[in-house]
Amino acid sequence: MVEIARSIKAEVILLALDEPTSSLSDEDANRLFHIVGQFRSRGAAIIYVSHRLREVLALADRIAVLRDGQLVTVQPAAGMNEGDLVRYMVGRNITNLYGEKTRRLGECVLQVENLSAAGVHNISFDLHRGEVLGFAGLVGAGRTDLAKALFGDRRTTGGRVLLKGREVKWHEPEDAIDQGIGFAPEDRKREALVLDRSVKDNISLVILRQISRFRFVRRVQEARVVNHLVDRLRIKTPSTQQNVRKLSGGNQQKVVLARWLARDPDVLILDEPTRGVDVGAKSEIYRLIDEMAAQGMGVIFISSEMPEILGVSDRILVMQGGQITGELAADGATEEAILRLAMAKHLVEEQVP
Amino acid sequence: MTSKEISQTAPGAPTPDKSGRRTGWVRSIDPQLLGLAVALGILVLIIGVQVPGKFFRISNLLNIGQAVTLIGLTGLASTVVIISGGLDISIGSIVGLCSAAALAMVTLDNAAFGIVAAVGIGLTAGMVNGLLITVGRINPVITTLGTLSAYRGIAWIMTGGYAVGVSNKAFNSIGSSEILGIPTPLVILIVVAVLFQIFLAYTDVGRNIFAMGGNPTAARLAGIGLNRYKLGIYMLSGLCAALAAIVLTARTNSGQPASGSAGLELEAITAAVLGGTAMSGGVGSVLGTMLGVLIIGTLNNGMILLNVPSFYQFVARGVLLIVAMLIQNWRTRGTQ
């Protein structure tokens, strides 16, 4: 906001804004839109870059769509809707953004019984192979705490966890990974990626020991695995030696997913995997989640975006205040039903007086 | 290093960084290393022009080679520690402690005892650092600042404050013998450098050390046991200090709690930083550090040949570290 304010002082002819709302609250964003409007009426030309389609449609007079570094189209905003934009961005017609679900549930791979840890209380659920289990809720509902407790990054205070029928307990993420759990955290830059290392190093990070002989990394094998995954996930990078820092958000996230595909865990926990990712990469990530499930992984999918959690999950657990407040089958569930469970406690409290 | 070489490398120095640098040593022959080589060349030229008769004499060059062994062994250890996101400023004191320990055992007239004592004490001192940092959760700088003083004190207590002579021929030969015409200390340094390069670039542990320094949270969530790694890294630092102590004790024929090892941490860290090791962790190379070591060794030697008073030499060493840091800051600002 300060940076934006700084540019306002000067007499501006051209104002360029690159994802200005990505770090703003809704309230601040609305103020920003108002200010942008003022500039426009004073005769300034404005370039507004954003991956939030609604903003662009509401603000812009003309919309330019870029894909893979090339200008796809420039059109008046008046004649366009979100569907048009998505089509231009992805380059093909996405009738169903979430793809076809091809799920075949296998045996139960993870059982959680009355698990408690810092931030979560008395959590119980089952997860099957080939299943995508959505965890919905408002921010701060305890979903990330649960993920970290399951991954051994947070001490559990009660209950038990059975992986493939055997009770497990771990002190470090290292143990969880050894036993077959993977975790792609919410904040990929801070928690998942080593930004100044290469795409290759970041992908092979969790399989280094497996592809080493006498502690020496077998480089040919490493290159084969990495190249295969870069192709399969269509990670856009000039080479596998590129620093991950230089990749776009969507491609960075694909690097994190590639890492876990290489490892092929029994259970993979994805915490907000599509945050800050453009629509094209989002639909690819949905497809990948489907492939992971088809591979036989049990996938825990944490998301705050209602449409995607409805579109991707087989079942949805809703959390609030560190507890599970309800379960919904994805077919037939609605955003409203999820929200009601996500705010269940508030609703109950309001009814009391 | 000749002037011809310099004229070839100079044009390459200012080229912008290419992608994929600092990953693997083949690609890391990059502008940064060229810049270092140029700096070394200029230094050699300046000193060579001032005192050509003395500087380029074979005996003097071998002198530099001997002198850089200590800085080299400790500088390589510092490189690994700093890459992992830590710092060991007690390394010079550990050298002094190991030297005193080696002396105590060699007086029993057995060279092997002296070596075992030095290595054992070095590993123990490193383990104490590692445990304080991991289990005690004390900041590495504070931990090793404390042990810097404590280890030095123990060394003084052991020797009663004197540099006592060693008279064991086998042990002393480590410092004075040659292998294929190269002084043994220098051979030890070269072997250790090659081992470090292989360790960092080709083993899973080495690669994980870069990851843990680059992003400790990501490393932990990727299954790297940070505490185990840290413990091992500080013990490695202690081991290198022990090797340096053996060379120092054998060369000077005396146990030296302070005189030969004081200020070594400064030169070790300067060498690493000069060589492009990022204090923030995750970036560094053996080749860079070795060039840094050569620069420091040449500078030290030049200052002696040019009769620079020792007080001024202290100033110069301090300024060199600060300048190295400034250069590093300036570089990283350029890339972000």
Side-chain angles (χ1 to χ4, degrees):
Chain A
M1 214 51 186
V2 175
E3 280 176 47
I4 293 162
R6 200 180 295 149
S7 61
I8 291 172
K9 279 196 207 158
E11 204 52 50
V12 180
I13 304 168
L14 177 69
L15 179 64
L17 297 165
D18 187 0
E19 300 279 1
T21 53
S22 60
S23 59
L24 295 183
S25 66
D26 282 353
E27 198 184 321
D28 281 346
N30 280 329
R31 257 192 295 173
L32 175 76
F33 299 151
H34 182 65
I35 294 166
V36 170
Q38 285 180 337
F39 269 98
R40 182 167 165 239
S41 54
R42 270 196 261 159
I46 296 156
I47 299 172
Y48 189 92
V49 179
S50 177
H51 73 274
R52 299 189 177 172
L53 304 184
R54 263 175 229 168
E55 275 174 30
V56 177
L57 284 165
L59 280 175
D61 299 306
R62 283 189 305 149
I63 299 176
V65 178
L66 286 117
R67 184 192 339 129
D68 302 341
Q70 287 187 321
L71 188 63
V72 179
T73 183
V74 184
Q75 286 188 23
M80 289 174 103
N81 60 34
E82 277 189 55
D84 297 331
L85 278 178
V86 170
R87 198 158 54 243
Y88 283 121
M89 289 168 71
V90 182
R92 62 200 138 88
N93 210 340
I94 298 185
T95 47
N96 183 356
L97 192 60
Y98 308 107
E100 289 296 310
K101 280 189 209 166
T102 51
R103 308 284 160 72
R104 285 234 309 277
L105 298 200
E107 74 217 330
C108 181
V109 65
L110 183 74
Q111 287 165 274
V112 177
E113 294 174 359
N114 306 316
L115 187 75
S116 291
V120 284
H121 316 288
N122 210 20
I123 301 282
S124 299
F125 66 89
D126 287 351
L127 174 69
H128 292 260
R129 286 190 182 280
E131 182 181 35
V132 178
L133 180 58
F135 273 80
L138 302 176
V139 172
R143 294 168 298 166
T144 298
D145 295 309
L146 173 62
K148 291 194 167 173
L150 287 174
F151 193 58
D153 197 36
R154 195 150 293 183
R155 198 167 297 163
T156 56
T157 51
R160 55 184 205 146
V161 178
L162 284 85
L163 183 68
K164 291 176 277 183
R166 269 196 15 242
E167 182 168 354
V168 287
K169 206 159 182 89
W170 25 67
H171 310 284
E172 293 280 341
E174 195 180 0
D175 307 328
I177 294 171
D178 283 345
Q179 300 283 328
I181 295 198
F183 174 47
E186 185 176 8
D187 187 340
R188 59 179 168 267
K189 285 189 184 176
R190 277 192 48 242
E191 300 188 310
L193 294 167
V194 188
L195 290 170
D196 284 320
R197 303 294 290 174
S198 66
V199 169
K200 171 178 73 79
D201 286 7
N202 272 282
I203 290 178
S204 62
L205 193 59
V206 293
I207 57 164
L208 276 186
R209 208 181 325 161
Q210 292 171 317
I211 57 170
S212 295
R213 186 191 288 153
F214 308 122
R215 309 237 70 122
F216 283 83
V217 179
R218 282 185 276 190
R219 297 187 150 207
V220 177
Q221 194 182 346
E222 183 189 22
R224 199 173 57 222
V225 171
V226 168
N227 289 336
H228 170 72
L229 284 165
V230 167
D231 288 347
R232 178 173 160 197
L233 273 64
R234 286 186 240 139
I235 297 172
K236 284 173 198 94
T237 175
S239 93
T240 57
Q241 296 300 334
Q242 176 85 331
N243 273 4
V244 163
R245 186 188 290 282
K246 293 184 179 151
L247 266 49
S248 71
N251 283 302
Q252 287 181 342
Q253 187 64 45
K254 285 189 197 171
V255 167
V256 176
L257 295 178
R259 172 190 295 175
W260 291 112
L261 275 169
R263 179 79 196 201
D264 194 19
D266 299 301
V267 173
L268 181 58
I269 307 167
L270 302 172
D271 194 355
E272 304 281 3
T274 63
R275 175 164 292 176
V277 163
D278 67 81
V279 179
K282 262 186 192 177
S283 82
E284 290 186 66
I285 289 171
Y286 300 142
R287 183 177 52 82
L288 270 172
I289 293 173
D290 197 53
E291 285 178 29
M292 289 167 174
Q295 251 180 45
M297 285 184 208
V299 180
I300 291 176
F301 177 62
I302 300 173
S303 171
S304 298
E305 284 188 37
M306 305 275 180
E308 73 172 20
I309 208 160
L310 285 166
V312 174
S313 315
D314 298 307
R315 263 189 311 146
I316 299 165
L317 293 173
V318 187
M319 286 183 73
Q320 185 192 11
Q323 288 175 309
I324 291 177
T325 51
E327 178 178 336
L328 300 163
D331 297 335
T334 60
E335 294 190 22
E336 206 187 325
I338 292 175
L339 257 181
R340 199 172 294 138
L341 287 169
M343 302 184 8
K345 289 179 185 170
H346 295 302
L347 296 178
V348 171
E349 278 159 24
E350 276 164 27
Q351 281 163 5
V352 173
Chain B
M1 182 85 33
T2 65
S3 57
K4 198 172 161 199
E5 260 184 86
I6 292 161
S7 66
Q8 283 172 344
T9 53
T15 52
D17 293 330
K18 299 229 165 60
S19 61
R21 72 202 191 104
R22 293 163 181 167
T23 53
W25 70 281
V26 176
R27 279 173 303 277
S28 70
I29 300 176
D30 63 357
Q32 178 153 11
L33 292 183
L34 289 180
L36 277 175
V38 170
L40 180 61
I42 291 170
L43 197 61
V44 166
L45 263 186
I46 291 172
I47 298 169
V49 166
Q50 300 277 331
V51 276
K54 290 184 200 162
F55 184 79
F56 288 114
R57 210 174 285 162
I58 297 289
S59 64
N60 186 56
L61 295 179
L62 288 178
N63 241 338
I64 295 176
Q66 289 241 7
V68 297
T69 308
L70 293 187
I71 306 171
L73 289 170
T74 51
L76 287 171
S78 295
T79 304
V80 174
V81 176
I82 296 171
I83 288 174
S84 80
L87 194 67
D88 183 359
I89 52 178
S90 73
I91 193 164
S93 288
I94 301 179
V95 172
L97 185 61
C98 293
S99 179
L103 172 85
M105 296 313 285
V106 166
T107 47
L108 298 174
D109 210 30
N110 188 325
F113 278 3
I115 292 168
V116 169
V119 168
I121 291 289
L123 288 173
T124 309
M127 190 174 70
V128 170
N129 281 341
L131 287 175
L132 288 171
I133 289 162
T134 55
V135 180
R137 294 160 148 252
I138 311 175
N139 171 297
V141 178
I142 299 301
T143 302
T144 54
L145 182 62
T147 54
L148 164 98
S149 176
Y151 291 156
R152 173 127 303 149
I154 295 170
W156 283 121
I157 294 165
M158 283 169 68
T159 58
Y162 301 103
V164 190
V166 180
S167 56
N168 179 298
K169 274 190 184 153
F171 191 80
N172 289 348
S173 73
I174 297 171
S176 53
S177 65
E178 291 179 352
I179 297 172
L180 300 172
I182 305 166
T184 306
L186 199 52
V187 173
I188 293 175
L189 174 61
I190 293 166
V191 169
V192 170
V194 169
L195 288 177
F196 266 60
Q197 175 60 42
I198 292 169
F199 171 64
L200 282 178
Y202 297 99
T203 69
D204 61 338
V205 179
R207 297 261 300 265
N208 285 342
I209 288 172
F210 279 99
M212 73 184 270
N215 187 342
T217 308
R220 183 168 43 86
L221 293 179
I224 298 171
L226 294 188
N227 282 353
R228 214 174 54 222
Y229 269 75
K230 283 181 191 167
L231 190 61
I233 286 163
Y234 285 96
M235 287 178 74
L236 178 71
S237 184
L239 178 65
C240 287
L243 289 180
I246 291 165
V247 169
L248 173 71
T249 313
R251 197 176 69 207
T252 55
N253 300 340
S254 68
Q256 307 231 359
S259 58
S261 58
L264 200 51
E265 60 279 343
L266 174 74
E267 294 183 308
I269 294 166
T270 305
V273 173
L274 266 179
T277 312
M279 290 306 292
S280 51
V283 177
S285 73
V286 168
L287 214 54
T289 297
M290 291 309 283
L291 280 169
V293 166
L294 282 179
I295 287 175
I296 297 172
T298 309
L299 194 67
N300 282 346
N301 180 263
M303 288 194 295
I304 293 166
L305 293 185
L306 294 168
N307 294 319
V308 176
S310 65
F311 296 157
Y312 289 85
Q313 293 186 26
F314 278 111
V315 176
R317 288 195 199 104
V319 168
L320 186 63
L321 174 62
I322 303 295
V323 169
M325 278 309 306
L326 287 174
I327 293 170
Q328 194 177 91
N329 286 348
W330 171 73
R331 284 187 145 275
T332 46
R333 201 173 306 149
T335 57
Q336 277 165 5

